[in-house]
Amino acid sequence: MSTSERHTHEEGFESVIPVRTASRSYDVYVGCDVLGRVGGLVRAATGGEAAAIVCDSNVGPLYASRVEQSLVGAGYHVSTITFSAGEQHKRLGTLEIILEELASCELSRTDVLVALGGGVTGDMAGLAAALYLRGISVVQIPTSLLAMVDSSVGGKTAVDLAAGKNLAGAFHQPSLVLADVRCLHTLSHDLLTDSCGEVIKHGVLADPVLFDELREKPINASGYPDQDLARVVARNVQIKRDVVNADERESGVRQTLNLGHTLGHAIEAASDYRLGHGSSVAAGLCCVARATEVLGWTEPGTAARIEDACQAHGLPIDTSLSHDTIRRYAIHDKKRHGQTVNLVVPTRIGAAQIRTITLHQLDEVIRLGCGTAEV
Ligand code: GLY
């Protein structure tokens, strides 16, 4: 870990990871008892007089009053805006309701929105903060593993359109991110498992040590210690931070975070989103690694190691979808550029490379990688 991270052992492991993008600098706190200190940390990071907590109907009853009390203790006037849980509510209609509520709470430009919840909440509340009064501060308090290791850091915000997920959004970096791994105790085992797809992706992308640890000791195993989980989350945040610091707007290296996503998104969309995002990424990651290994772009043995890590976590390593179906969805991906696709290739465990490939080569990748694993 770099020396810029601080650790305290008074209340268990805690890491403070500084993010320094071109548009904003902020800290990500990861630990086992961060939630109790929200008020003071928000006060120090943003100021303001009023705070609006935005959460969904699942997370609100679990954590909103604790966060509210902490914010009140730090001198904030607090309102809580709750919307119905579920990806189907991550739409412009819900966003409009949130914006109207922010206005009726009379939140001013110096006040703060607190996004409390998983990826849907963070993305949509982040977009509300980007739009309201042309932009107010947002503090992200992710309560799912996927949100902790991925969506709460880096400033991507969005809602879905009928044409696809996350098609209307903005870059709006948070002022602070507070990840308390004890919130993961209330996450279902299936959702925890699903998030592990993105954690394994980070290991493949940038950290062979993390990857081997994941392979040997799955983080969704019962009794996995909170302190170790906090360390793994913090390492994931560092990996994402390094990429986002270098390329905030995804014009270059940030695209590597899409490792496993070209085929993963196609698998997810073709399942009509019944297969979770992280599980789809895991399957997409294994498919692409098998194919690129055959093509000679990936160190031999890499695909089998990725399959091992995914299987250890109970994640899929392949898909039974037809090649035609995968192709159809993959070429509709929003990240396609005309007749080419930027494919992220795992060159070995711990390194990846962006290759611009033709649609014909994409067919070849699908043919070599999908439906070829022994399951
Ligand atoms: N989830 C990918 C990114 O933030 O760029």
Side-chain angles (χ1 to χ4, degrees):
M1 279 183 190
S2 87
T3 50
S4 52
E5 276 97 45
R6 303 194 297 271
H7 301 272
T8 141
H9 293 276
E10 285 155 25
E11 291 165 341
F13 175 88
E14 184 170 284
S15 183
V16 187
I17 301 149
V19 182
R20 305 281 176 258
T21 71
S23 71
R24 192 189 296 275
S25 295
Y26 53 95
D27 288 333
V28 181
Y29 284 70
V30 181
C32 302
D33 190 23
V34 182
L35 221 50
R37 297 190 296 121
V38 166
L41 293 171
V42 172
R43 169 66 62 213
T46 72
E49 286 173 12
I53 300 170
V54 176
C55 56
D56 74 16
S57 51
N58 288 338
V59 169
L62 294 170
Y63 303 116
S65 71
R66 191 155 166 221
V67 170
E68 188 174 327
Q69 276 168 27
S70 182
L71 288 165
V72 168
Y76 283 98
H77 175 75
V78 184
S79 337
T80 300
I81 301 169
T82 307
F83 63 91
S84 302
E87 180 82 31
Q88 71 274 27
H89 298 291
K90 189 180 164 186
R91 299 302 295 263
L92 288 167
T94 317
L95 178 67
E96 183 179 1
I97 293 167
I98 294 170
L99 290 169
E100 292 290 358
E101 293 213 26
L102 293 174
S104 59
C105 301
E106 298 183 3
L107 231 68
S108 77
R109 207 171 246 170
T110 53
D111 292 329
V112 58
L113 188 157
V114 176
L116 173 68
V120 168
T121 302
D123 283 5
M124 187 159 55
L127 183 55
L131 295 173
Y132 182 69
L133 304 180
R134 298 196 182 87
I136 63 169
S137 297
V138 60
V139 172
Q140 293 281 353
I141 306 185
T143 57
S144 74
L145 183 60
L146 203 64
M148 288 181 192
V149 300
D150 187 10
S151 55
S152 65
V153 178
K156 280 190 182 176
T157 73
V159 291
D160 301 338
L161 299 181
K165 281 176 76 171
N166 296 328
L167 292 187
F171 284 97
H172 186 62
Q173 297 291 343
S175 299
L176 177 70
V177 181
L178 302 175
D180 189 329
V181 295
R182 290 201 180 143
C183 293
L184 302 176
H185 293 171
T186 51
L187 203 63
S188 74
H189 185 73
D190 282 356
L191 276 180
L192 188 68
T193 297
D194 186 61
S195 312
C196 296
E198 293 280 7
V199 176
I200 293 169
K201 178 200 80 175
H202 281 148
V204 175
L205 204 57
D207 191 340
V209 175
L210 169 69
F211 179 84
D212 284 338
E213 191 183 322
L214 293 170
R215 212 160 58 124
E216 282 152 27
K217 212 171 146 204
I219 59 172
N220 58 348
S222 72
Y224 192 88
D226 282 343
Q227 302 253 346
D228 290 348
L229 198 50
R231 252 182 221 100
V232 169
V233 169
R235 181 64 194 124
N236 275 262
V237 171
Q238 287 171 344
I239 291 169
K240 177 144 191 193
R241 179 274 311 270
D242 290 346
V243 172
V244 167
N245 276 2
D247 172 26
E248 184 180 8
R249 295 258 162 174
E250 199 174 302
S251 50
V253 71
R254 187 162 180 174
Q255 291 175 44
T256 59
L257 294 174
N258 297 326
L259 176 62
H261 284 59
T262 300
L263 301 180
H265 271 156
I267 293 167
E268 187 182 7
S271 79
D272 207 13
Y273 298 96
R274 277 187 294 274
L275 190 64
H277 178 73
S279 304
S280 304
V281 167
L285 186 55
C286 293
C287 290
V288 78
R290 283 192 295 271
T292 55
E293 210 175 291
V294 175
L295 290 165
W297 302 343
T298 297
E299 190 174 279
T302 303
R305 290 175 70 194
I306 299 174
E307 287 172 352
D308 278 356
C310 291
Q311 279 179 319
H313 287 80
L315 288 162
I317 62 166
D318 205 348
T319 173
S320 56
L321 292 165
S322 76
H323 291 173
D324 276 353
T325 304
I326 299 167
R327 178 182 204 277
R328 196 154 25 89
Y329 282 95
I331 64 174
H332 277 112
D333 195 275
K334 67 175 184 284
K335 300 212 163 88
R336 179 162 69 91
H337 309 275
Q339 294 306 301
T340 60
V341 171
N342 280 353
L343 183 75
V344 187
V345 175
T347 47
R348 56 184 158 78
I349 300 297
Q353 183 186 66
I354 301 162
R355 271 188 183 244
T356 301
I357 61 168
T358 62
L359 296 186
H360 177 72
Q361 286 175 305
L362 178 65
D363 283 345
E364 187 74 345
V365 167
I366 293 169
R367 187 180 66 75
L368 293 171
C370 298
T372 57
E374 284 172 29
V375 280

